[in-house]
């Protein structure tokens, strides 16, 4: 009986220690600073895309937006 109780207690302590160590390791990895990389959109993404076509003008007119010039 004493051996069973001692074995169960050591397993329980092992699992507590293992759980605490894995949580600490995960927190360490999450808090480790890394170098941020800048995003370069390139020339294709920087070009102007908005064109005020007739259907856009009609949308503004129907929805009573102030007139764009």
């Amino acid at each position: 009986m004493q051996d069973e109780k001692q074995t169960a207690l050591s397993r329980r302590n092992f699992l507590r220690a293992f759980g605490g160590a894995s949580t600490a390791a995960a927190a360490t990895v999450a808090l480790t600073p890394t170098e941020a990389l800048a995003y370069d959109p390139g020339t294709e993404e920087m070009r102007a895309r908005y064109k005020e076509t007739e259907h856009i003008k009609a949308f503004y007119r129907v929805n009573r937006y102030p007139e764009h010039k």
Side-chain angles (χ1 to χ4, degrees):
M1 182 80 178
Q2 184 67 16
D3 292 332
E4 289 179 22
K5 189 173 185 179
Q6 188 177 11
T7 306
L9 186 59
S10 65
R11 280 189 211 140
R12 191 172 294 143
N13 286 338
F14 170 75
L15 292 174
R16 280 186 191 151
F18 183 73
S22 63
T23 303
T28 302
V29 170
L31 297 177
T32 304
T34 59
E35 185 177 332
L37 302 176
Y39 173 71
D40 182 19
T43 57
E44 182 63 23
E45 291 185 26
M46 292 299 291
R47 66 183 172 88
R49 291 187 189 98
Y50 180 79
K51 295 179 182 161
E52 195 168 335
T53 59
E54 289 303 315
H55 74 280
I56 291 177
K57 290 177 185 177
F59 175 83
Y60 289 146
R61 186 178 61 251
V62 168
N63 290 296
R64 298 185 179 148
Y65 283 98
E67 190 174 321
H68 281 82
K69 291 185 180 187

